[in-house]
Amino acid sequence: MLTTDPQAQASHALQLFHSGNFQPALEAAAPLLAQPHVAAEMHHLTGACLHSIGRGVEAVPYLRKAISLDGANPSFLNTLGVVLRKLKRTEEAIRSYERVMALQPDFSDVYYNCGNALQELKRTDEAISRFRSCLELNPGHNSAHHNLANALRDLKEINEALKHYALSDQCDHNNPDMHCNWGLAWQLDERWDKAIDCFEVAINQKANHAASHINLGGALAVQERFDEACAALRRGVELDDSCKDAKFNLGLTLLTIGQFEEGWKFYDTRLSLPEKVRSPIAKPIWNGDLNIDGPLLVWAEQGYGDNIQFVRYIPILQELGLQVTLSTRKPLLELFRQCLQPNCPPLVDHIPAQLQQFEHHVPMLSLPRIFRTSLATVPMMPGYLKVPSAIPKKLSFDRKPFALNIGLVWASGVDNKDMYADKSLPLELLFPVFDSWREERLVVLHSLQVGIDSAQLEPYRNCRGVLDWSDKLETFYDTACVINQLDLIISVDTAVAHVAGAMDKPTWLILQHNADFRWLRGRSDTPWYPNMSLIRQQKLGDWPSAVNQLQERLQQLLG
C-alpha cells in the first residue's frame, strides 16, 4: 500500500485482519504503533493478530497497552478477556469482562463471553445469569441459547435446557455441536428416540462429528440395537482414537452381545480411565509372558462380585507354573483363603503402598483378554470356590423337616450409586411371593441382605419361616458358610449371587433390564455359572414382571 496516511494504513491493516490475513495485518500494523491517532487501535489489532496465530502470551502486553491508551474502549477489554480465557487465566478474564459491562451495559457478547468463563470455573449459576443477560439484549444469540442450555443440563434442569436447545435450533439449525448436546439432554431425560434423532442430525450436518457417533452408539446400546451401536462406536473411535470412553463403551457393547475376544481388548481401555480403575503400581502390566522372574501379582479391581467371578483364573495361572500372589479387598480375604482350595495362593490386602515391591502385575479383569476367553472357552469350573470345611456354630442352624431353605438378597450395594437403584428390588414386592409356602412350612427364608437395606426386613422379622443373618455376616466367608447350608439362593445382581454361583449352589438371579455385560442378553442361563438361572425384567424398572416369573418357577418347584 503506497499511501502515507496513518488512518488509511490502519484501515488497510484492519481489512487484512477481517479477511483472515493475520500475519500481513500484523506486519501492516507494526509501523503504526507509534502513530498517536491510531496507536491504541493498532496495539489492539496487534494483540488480536497474535492471539489468532496462537501467540496469546505475546498478545497480552499489546492489549494492555491499547487499554492504557484508550481505557474507555469496551472492545479492547473484551478482546483481552477472550485472550486471557484462552490462556486459562480465567479469573483475570472475568474481571476484564466485568469492566466491559460497567462501561457498556448493552454489550451483549461480553455477557456471553463472561458466562463461558464462569462455566469453565464450574460457577454454573453465575454463568446462567450472564447467558440470560446476553439473551435479554439479543434474543437471537444462538450460541447463548446453546451454552445456557448446556449449563442448565449440567444442573439437571432438563426441561428448561431442552427449551433453549430448541431456541438455539430456531436461530441456527446448522450446528452439529448443538444437536449433539441436545441429544445428551434427551438422554438424561431417558428419551432415547429423541436423543438418537439429534445425534443423527448432527452426523448428517457433519459426517465426521466424532462425539455424535460415540453418543449415538451409547443411545443405540440402551435400546439394545447392539449391531448399530457397535457400528456407531467404531466410527467414533476411527474419528477420535483418543476417546477412551468410546473404546471402553465399545468394549462393553461387544461383551454384552457375546463378542468376547474383541470386547476384552477394548474393555482394557478402563485402565486409562482413572474414574474406572486405578493401577496400584506404575510399572507395565503383565502381557501373558510365562517366562518371568519372581511372583505375578494379580490385583483386585472394581466390585466384590467382579473379584469373585474372575478369581477362577487364578488356578489356571498356577497350572501354567506361575508363582501367583493375589491382592484383594479385605472382606474377601477369608473367603478366598478358606475356599480357593486346594492351592490358595498367597493373599494380601489391596493396599497400593504395600504392593510396590512387585515387578510383574496384572488387574484381575484383564485375565480374560490375556487368555483370549470367548463364549465357548469361558472357564466354567463348577465349584471353583470349595465349600467351607467347617461351619462356625454362630452360623449354623437346625433344618426344618421337608422345608426348602432359601437365601434371599434384594438390594445391591449402595456404594455403586449409578446402579444401586436399578439393581435393587423392594422387599415389599418380593416377600409376599413366599407367604403361602412359609405358612405351610414348606419354605424357610434366610435373609442374607446386609447394609442399610436389611432394615426392609423389619415388618417380617417375626414372621414364621424367616431367619435374619444380617448381624452375623461380617465377611463373605461368613456368607459362604450360610449359603453352604441352603438349598437355593434367590438374589438380585450383587456379590452374594457370585459367591453362590462360584460354590455351584443353585441360584436364581433376578436381573434389571439393563443388566451389565456379564449376563449377556436374552438368555436364562450364563456361561459363567452352570447352576445359575437368570430371571429378567421385561423393561427397565419393571420388577413386577420379574417377580411374576419368580412365582411361576417357585410354583413349578413347590406346587
Side-chain angles (χ1 to χ4, degrees):
M1 186 176 182
L2 300 177
T3 182
T4 57
D5 177 17
Q7 290 286 359
Q9 290 177 324
S11 295
H12 177 64
L14 285 166
Q15 288 174 357
L16 289 169
F17 174 80
H18 289 302
S19 63
N21 296 303
F22 303 123
Q23 188 62 41
L26 190 63
E27 294 167 1
L32 303 174
L33 294 173
Q35 295 289 333
H37 296 298
V38 296
E41 184 62 46
M42 289 301 97
H43 277 85
H44 175 244
L45 177 63
T46 299
C49 287
L50 290 167
H51 167 67
S52 298
I53 60 177
R55 294 161 61 184
V57 173
E58 297 172 62
V60 172
Y62 286 96
L63 294 170
R64 294 201 186 279
K65 179 64 175 178
I67 293 166
S68 73
L69 293 169
D70 184 2
N73 191 316
S75 293
F76 296 175
L77 287 160
N78 184 58
T79 303
L80 176 61
V82 170
V83 174
L84 290 170
R85 179 179 162 226
K86 181 72 172 179
L87 294 173
K88 306 299 183 186
R89 294 160 63 177
T90 313
E91 293 282 6
E92 294 177 73
I94 290 169
R95 289 195 291 272
S96 189
Y97 293 138
E98 287 172 343
R99 289 177 63 188
V100 177
M101 295 173 205
L103 285 169
Q104 187 177 339
D106 62 349
F107 190 162
S108 62
D109 276 356
V110 75
Y111 294 94
Y112 169 73
N113 291 335
C114 189
N116 289 332
L118 288 163
Q119 184 68 346
E120 286 179 1
L121 295 179
K122 308 299 183 186
R123 292 160 60 179
T124 305
D125 287 328
E126 296 172 78
I128 287 171
S129 176
R130 295 306 189 195
F131 291 137
R132 290 195 189 280
S133 296
C134 172
L135 290 167
E136 287 174 6
L137 295 165
N138 181 6
H141 198 301
N142 66 292
S143 294
H145 281 297
H146 179 191
N147 288 4
L148 172 57
N150 290 342
L152 290 164
R153 185 192 68 201
D154 289 347
L155 294 182
K156 302 297 188 289
E157 296 180 22
I158 303 302
N159 289 335
E160 188 71 6
L162 292 170
K163 182 181 83 173
H164 283 281
Y165 284 123
L167 289 168
S168 180
D169 184 44
Q170 290 174 19
C171 298
D172 181 12
H173 177 69
N174 190 27
N175 185 342
D177 287 343
M178 186 279 295
H179 287 285
C180 184
N181 285 320
W182 197 356
L184 292 173
W186 284 120
Q187 279 192 350
L188 289 173
D189 205 36
E190 297 187 359
R191 300 283 299 279
W192 302 103
D193 288 339
K194 291 279 192 181
I196 288 168
D197 288 343
C198 285
F199 298 139
E200 289 179 339
V201 168
I203 291 166
N204 286 334
Q205 291 180 352
K206 186 178 179 181
N208 63 347
H209 198 265
S212 291
H213 286 282
I214 291 164
N215 291 322
L216 175 62
L220 289 167
V222 171
Q223 289 203 327
E224 301 191 348
R225 295 161 60 180
F226 294 115
D227 290 338
E228 295 171 80
C230 286
L233 288 166
R234 286 186 198 280
R235 180 58 178 149
V237 169
E238 288 173 4
L239 292 168
D240 184 5
D241 187 63
S242 68
C243 186
K244 297 179 176 62
D245 281 308
K247 293 179 179 179
F248 176 72
N249 288 334
L250 176 56
L252 286 179
T253 305
L254 289 164
L255 292 171
T256 299
I257 58 177
Q259 296 184 22
F260 278 9
E261 290 186 79
E262 185 181 16
W264 296 124
K265 295 175 185 176
F266 283 107
Y267 186 63
D268 255 18
T269 311
R270 74 194 184 283
L271 301 172
S272 303
L273 297 168
E275 71 275 15
K276 305 289 184 187
V277 177
R278 288 184 181 271
S279 176
I281 301 173
K283 298 162 189 170
I285 288 172
W286 180 66
N287 63 2
D289 180 12
L290 299 179
N291 298 312
I292 59 173
D293 296 322
L296 172 66
L297 177 73
V298 179
W299 48 268
E301 57 168 304
Q302 304 185 56
Y304 295 119
D306 298 289
N307 286 256
I308 296 163
Q309 179 180 355
F310 292 98
V311 78
R312 71 185 66 215
Y313 285 90
I314 296 298
I316 301 174
L317 292 170
Q318 292 172 315
E319 289 171 7
L320 291 171
L322 291 165
Q323 182 185 346
V324 177
T325 297
L326 175 59
S327 162
T328 193
R329 296 165 68 183
K330 197 167 187 176
L332 291 171
L333 286 172
E334 189 63 16
L335 174 71
F336 290 159
R337 185 175 292 114
Q338 297 292 340
C339 299
L340 199 59
Q341 293 295 343
N343 298 307
C344 180
L347 300 173
V348 293
D349 196 357
H350 189 72
I351 302 173
Q354 298 178 12
L355 303 175
Q356 301 308 307
Q357 73 273 23
F358 289 93
E359 290 295 322
H360 309 287
H361 70 105
V362 64
M364 191 179 290
L365 271 70
S366 289
L367 294 174
R369 173 189 60 79
I370 291 170
F371 283 104
R372 298 181 180 178
T373 299
S374 68
L375 266 182
T377 61
V378 168
M380 190 170 280
M381 303 169 65
Y384 61 87
L385 290 186
K386 307 307 179 187
V387 299
S389 57
I391 306 296
K393 187 175 181 180
K394 70 168 187 173
L395 298 173
S396 63
F397 63 90
D398 295 326
R399 295 179 62 96
K400 304 297 183 184
F402 311 112
L404 190 72
N405 287 272
I406 299 176
L408 208 59
V409 184
W410 56 87
S412 176
V414 294
D415 54 341
N416 188 346
K417 296 178 182 178
D418 292 337
M419 294 300 293
Y420 168 73
D422 286 348
K423 286 184 174 185
S424 300
L425 165 61
L427 182 59
E428 63 182 6
L429 185 64
L430 180 62
F431 194 85
V433 169
F434 303 95
D435 282 351
S436 62
W437 292 303
R438 280 192 308 100
E439 292 299 328
E440 295 171 11
R441 293 183 169 85
L442 294 176
V443 161
V444 177
L445 294 179
H446 297 255
S447 173
L448 305 178
Q449 183 70 53
V450 297
I452 61 172
D453 285 289
S454 62
Q456 292 187 46
L457 190 66
E458 190 58 39
Y460 316 106
R461 205 178 300 276
N462 296 321
C463 292
R464 173 181 289 167
V466 176
L467 289 178
D468 179 15
W469 293 96
S470 60
D471 62 345
K472 296 182 176 66
L473 302 179
E474 298 178 5
T475 70
F476 281 102
Y477 179 68
D478 293 339
T479 303
C481 287
V482 177
I483 286 175
N484 185 46
Q485 303 168 76
L486 303 178
D487 303 303
L488 173 66
I489 306 301
I490 298 175
S491 174
V492 296
D493 185 5
T494 190
V496 175
H498 287 280
V499 175
M503 293 173 64
D504 204 31
K505 181 67 65 173
T507 305
W508 295 357
L509 183 65
I510 309 175
L511 289 174
Q512 75 278 18
H513 187 70
N514 60 339
D516 67 27
F517 72 86
R518 77 199 71 221
W519 309 121
L520 304 169
R521 286 295 183 271
R523 292 179 59 153
S524 60
D525 66 337
T526 168
W528 298 102
Y529 301 114
N531 220 352
M532 180 178 285
S533 298
L534 311 182
I535 299 172
R536 299 177 181 269
Q537 289 179 343
Q538 293 180 357
K539 60 183 179 181
L540 187 59
D542 182 16
W543 285 120
S545 67
V547 170
N548 287 340
Q549 295 173 61
L550 171 64
Q551 189 158 19
E552 291 172 3
R553 291 195 183 195
L554 287 168
Q555 189 68 46
Q556 294 172 5
L557 180 65
L558 297 167

